Amino acid sequence: VTMEGSFGEEYIVLFSRTINRLILNEAELILALAQEFQMKTVVVSLEDHSFVDIIRLISNASMLVSMHGAQLVTALFLPRGATVVELFPYAVNPEHYTPYKTLATLPGMDLQYVAWQNTKEDNTVTYPDRHWDQGGITHLDKEEQERIMQSKEVPRHLCCRNPEWLFRIYQDTKVDISSLIHMIRQTVKSKPGSKKQKWMNGLYPGKVRDAKCQASVQGTSEAKLSVSWQIPWNLKYLKVRDVKYEVWIQEQGENTYMPYILSHQNHTFSENIKPFATYLVWIRCIFNKNFLGPFADVLMCST
């Protein structure tokens, strides 16, 4: 699926890992997902795609499939009604590692979540000779190595240097496709994404960045306050028609403030600005009049 052709049709995104925690039968899985759900399946990876392209694809997908890992934080950008499928290697109990399940089930996310675990030891490839932080265990004594190799489930542990956890989480996995499809079908009764809603419906702006202020004094009775900032981090990934910035200015020690609504990322204020005074400045972004972002950290500006 090309970027241009991806927005008018339903599709699945498979997030591919290319260095470790691989899906050994990835090509077979891609074909099976496409056939089972009658949708194209798009493969993305951090190595082959820009972050912007990944977000654009995921923001219109009906389903996101990925091995457990930090890349699943991109589920944040799925449209409401979409499905998240998280794959776990052998001996890694999904009930013990739930950050992305928690993300998917947060109020307002409205995502369907599926966890699949490889339960067949024959379908896994381990790497005991790797460096310890990539799952290697040869630095341990022989008895501990043997115990880890024979273990059927990683016991509960603290994150994230536990050698048994690292050994198992960095395995490569051959996905049992029939059991995965069955697991998805148990959770997703209708066609994936059939209740999908446009993701901008509930997406709010982030904080404005790099807010700064600079004061200048003209004589004993006039002063100016120049304020500037950068757009919120998520604005460049969104198609938002109406973007405004709300600025509050309060003289320190006073109980009232002066509110302004601006269209640009910089402005010089002179009205009601006094020389030799200290002002507190708050700035936030507003999408489409109703979606209010959080205020950035307050600025303290002295004229």
Side-chain angles (χ1 to χ4, degrees):
V1 175
T2 64
M3 288 299 302
E4 291 76 14
S6 62
F7 297 116
E9 58 188 324
E10 300 286 325
Y11 61 89
I12 297 167
V13 170
L14 176 68
F15 214 125
S16 177
R17 296 176 64 103
T18 60
I19 298 174
N20 52 42
R21 211 175 304 160
L22 306 181
I23 298 173
L24 297 173
N25 56 336
E26 188 173 275
E28 183 184 355
L29 176 59
I30 292 165
L31 181 61
L33 290 169
Q35 291 177 338
E36 178 68 25
F37 297 105
Q38 294 299 295
M39 295 184 195
K40 290 185 177 180
T41 301
V42 189
V43 180
V44 300
S45 70
L46 294 173
E47 290 75 20
D48 296 330
H49 296 80
S50 70
F51 184 67
V52 172
D53 284 348
I54 290 171
I55 296 308
R56 284 176 180 163
L57 283 165
I58 289 176
S59 68
N60 289 275
S62 297
M63 182 188 297
L64 173 62
V65 181
S66 174
M67 292 297 295
H68 172 81
Q71 70 282 351
L72 269 167
V73 75
T74 56
L76 179 68
F77 296 96
L78 282 167
R80 292 177 177 179
T83 301
V84 183
V85 182
E86 184 173 9
L87 311 177
F88 288 85
Y90 177 77
V92 179
N93 186 341
E95 292 302 315
H96 296 173
Y97 310 96
T98 59
Y100 307 112
K101 179 181 181 180
T102 300
L103 174 65
T105 54
L106 285 173
M109 291 296 288
D110 296 332
L111 299 175
Q112 301 183 85
Y113 175 83
V114 178
W116 175 88
Q117 179 189 4
N118 175 28
T119 58
K120 299 180 178 180
E121 193 169 5
D122 290 343
N123 284 355
T124 193
V125 176
T126 60
Y127 297 93
D129 295 327
R130 283 180 175 170
H131 194 266
W132 72 266
D133 62 358
Q134 292 294 308
I137 56 174
T138 54
H139 63 292
L140 304 174
D141 62 57
K142 293 294 185 182
E143 184 177 343
E144 180 65 2
Q145 290 182 47
E146 189 65 25
R147 185 196 67 78
I148 289 174
M149 293 288 288
Q150 294 180 359
S151 174
K152 303 299 182 185
E153 181 176 310
V154 178
R156 290 184 181 273
H157 59 91
L158 296 176
C159 187
C160 290
R161 298 168 66 91
N162 180 283
E164 186 170 350
W165 150 253
L166 293 170
F167 175 71
R168 290 302 183 186
I169 201 58
Y170 281 114
Q171 298 170 107
D172 295 339
T173 301
K174 179 183 177 183
V175 174
D176 184 321
I177 292 174
S178 61
S179 71
L180 173 60
I181 296 295
H182 177 71
M183 185 77 68
I184 296 173
R185 284 297 189 193
Q186 278 189 316
T187 303
V188 184
K189 301 302 182 184
S190 57
K191 184 178 181 181
S194 60
K195 298 180 180 179
K196 190 172 69 173
Q197 301 175 31
K198 189 65 179 175
W199 68 310
M200 261 303 299
N201 285 350
L203 198 64
Y204 288 77
K207 288 183 180 181
V208 300
R209 299 169 297 151
D210 301 327
K212 300 173 183 176
C213 63
Q214 184 174 1
S216 60
V217 176
Q218 289 80 39
T220 58
S221 59
E222 294 184 18
K224 294 182 179 180
L225 201 61
S226 297
V227 182
S228 63
W229 57 90
Q230 298 298 316
I231 65 172
W233 71 272
N234 58 344
L235 180 56
K236 65 181 180 180
Y237 304 117
L238 309 176
K239 294 181 179 179
V240 183
R241 293 182 179 179
D242 185 18
V243 179
K244 292 290 191 293
Y245 298 95
E246 185 173 17
V247 179
W248 294 2
I249 300 179
Q250 179 185 31
E251 185 177 352
Q252 192 172 39
E254 298 294 325
N255 293 322
T256 59
Y257 63 88
M258 298 173 288
Y260 301 88
I261 299 293
L262 306 172
S263 299
H264 303 290
Q265 295 151 241
N266 56 77
H267 191 80
T268 298
F269 302 90
S270 56
E271 183 182 1
N272 298 317
I273 302 298
K274 305 173 186 177
F276 314 113
T278 299
Y279 292 91
L280 306 178
V281 181
W282 291 268
I283 310 166
R284 67 177 170 184
C285 183
I286 303 174
F287 287 172
N288 300 329
K289 298 182 180 179
N290 297 318
F291 296 97
L292 308 179
F295 280 108
D297 294 341
V298 62
L299 298 175
M300 186 171 290
C301 312
S302 297
T303 57

